[in-house]
Amino acid sequence: MTDFLQKFALNGKVAWVTGASYGLGFAYAEAFASVGAKIVFNDIKQELVDRGLEAYKKKGIEAYGAVCDVTNEEQVQAFVKDVEEKIGTIDILVNNAGIIKRIPMVEMELKDWNAVINIDLTGPFICSKAVLPSMIKKGSGKIINACSMMSEFGRETVSAYAAAKGGLKMLTRNICSEYGQYNIQCNAIGPGYIATPQTAPLRAKQEDGSMHPFDRFIRSKTPAQRWGRTEDLQGLAVFLASEASDFINGQVVYIDGGISAYIGQDPSNLDASKFQEEEEEQI
């Protein structure tokens, strides 16, 4: 059993998670560190990098962080060179950095469209391009893209985000197609709706004690009848970063509690009282 479990170990591997000062990126990095990886991360502002460094320190994780804009190719190349000199060759890249702008398509300005596409799609292209030469030379590497349920589905007000995440799904497959011959695997994680501080207002009870309409909607569409937790994503992230997934390539795995396989139920059928304890726990 010990030899088998070693396939999931990341001892000594250098893992770069973009935008990992907090949130899902931090959760991925924390999971990698727990199985032996060396963590490096970037963010767009120094205050965010400092916030991340402090958070990793509190968890007992030694991490290297620096300011780097994933949409700026010169900055990305310089960041990768710096990491290679100070920490080592990057073995694992998680293209986590991303934004969303919830604007009806006919009201969205081109600058807003471009901002989402640049960060959510062009950024992963630039970062992957920067690490691939060393991975090719080394004969191994793992790239994990942060896709979304919007890689498969449309939804009102998220045209740019859905377009970017759909494009990221195909970039995942194309990296697999071009570089699988070098023992490089590129896969993606597609999170469903995750309970984080950012989504807490959507899960909070209303003044009259009723469920938030969006909370009721999500639970009615999810067989698990709950929101995901950050720890629900960590096992897959470690698996896709490890030797255990060496023959899995070009795949998008959705962690959504079954929402993408389910037509849903009438939201009015949900018993709000049974979700009270979980709601309080997650907020």
Side-chain angles (χ1 to χ4, degrees):
M1 180 61 77
T2 301
D3 290 342
F4 174 75
L5 290 178
Q6 281 302 310
K7 291 181 178 293
F8 296 86
L10 302 178
N11 295 327
K13 299 288 187 181
V14 178
W16 173 24
V17 186
T18 67
S21 297
Y22 61 94
L24 301 188
F26 185 89
Y28 297 140
E30 183 183 11
F32 295 156
S34 73
V35 289
K38 300 176 183 177
I39 304 302
V40 299
F41 72 98
N42 69 289
D43 222 312
I44 193 70
K45 297 178 180 178
Q46 186 62 51
E47 52 261 43
L48 291 175
V49 172
D50 292 342
R51 171 183 173 180
L53 290 171
E54 182 62 26
Y56 287 110
K57 184 178 180 181
K58 287 182 178 178
K59 292 283 188 176
I61 298 170
E62 185 176 344
Y64 174 79
V67 173
C68 174
D69 180 352
V70 297
T71 69
N72 185 313
E73 188 166 15
E74 289 185 1
Q75 287 186 25
V76 169
Q77 292 285 350
F79 177 86
V80 170
K81 181 180 180 182
D82 188 47
V83 169
E84 289 182 342
E85 291 175 351
K86 294 178 178 177
I87 314 295
T89 302
I90 294 169
D91 301 287
I92 302 155
L93 165 65
V94 181
N95 284 309
N96 167 76
I99 62 169
I100 186 169
K101 291 181 179 287
R102 300 183 185 279
I103 306 170
M105 183 173 169
V106 296
E107 298 174 15
M108 176 172 275
E109 296 183 19
L110 184 58
K111 65 179 179 61
D112 293 317
W113 169 275
N114 286 339
V116 175
I117 298 296
N118 285 343
I119 294 173
D120 293 6
L121 180 57
T122 306
F125 162 75
I126 291 173
C127 294
S128 298
K129 178 183 173 184
V131 301
L132 277 166
S134 292
M135 289 182 174
I136 292 169
K137 184 176 180 180
K138 195 170 186 177
S140 65
K142 303 282 185 175
I143 297 175
I144 303 171
N145 290 326
C147 280
S148 161
M149 291 178 63
M150 298 303 105
S151 299
E152 295 291 339
F153 304 108
R155 194 166 188 273
E156 63 274 10
T157 76
V158 294
S159 57
Y161 184 77
K165 294 301 184 178
L168 188 57
K169 174 182 70 176
M170 294 311 301
L171 179 62
T172 299
R173 293 176 177 175
N174 210 79
I175 292 173
C176 155
S177 301
E178 287 197 56
Y179 301 105
Q181 62 182 306
Y182 301 103
N183 190 33
I184 296 168
Q185 292 81 48
C186 182
N187 293 290
I189 297 175
Y193 290 89
I194 308 299
T196 65
Q198 287 78 15
T199 62
L202 299 176
R203 295 176 284 108
K205 293 293 183 287
Q206 304 297 283
E207 290 184 2
D208 62 1
S210 64
M211 294 176 68
H212 190 290
F214 194 74
D215 186 21
R216 183 178 287 275
F217 169 74
I218 291 302
R219 293 180 189 273
S220 72
K221 295 294 184 183
T222 309
Q225 293 193 1
R226 69 171 176 87
W227 291 62
R229 307 180 182 97
T230 53
E231 55 263 36
D232 290 324
L233 308 176
Q234 292 178 317
L236 178 62
V238 168
F239 172 62
L240 293 179
S242 74
E243 178 188 338
S245 63
D246 278 359
F247 203 57
I248 298 175
N249 212 351
Q251 303 303 306
V252 182
V253 183
Y254 295 95
I255 305 180
D256 61 4
I259 194 171
S260 57
Y262 184 47
I263 197 170
Q265 62 171 295
D266 183 346
S268 65
N269 290 337
L270 289 180
D271 179 4
S273 64
K274 78 175 188 177
F275 302 125
Q276 182 69 35
E277 183 177 350
E278 181 185 47
E279 183 63 38
E280 290 176 352
E281 176 187 334
Q282 297 215 16
I283 288 179

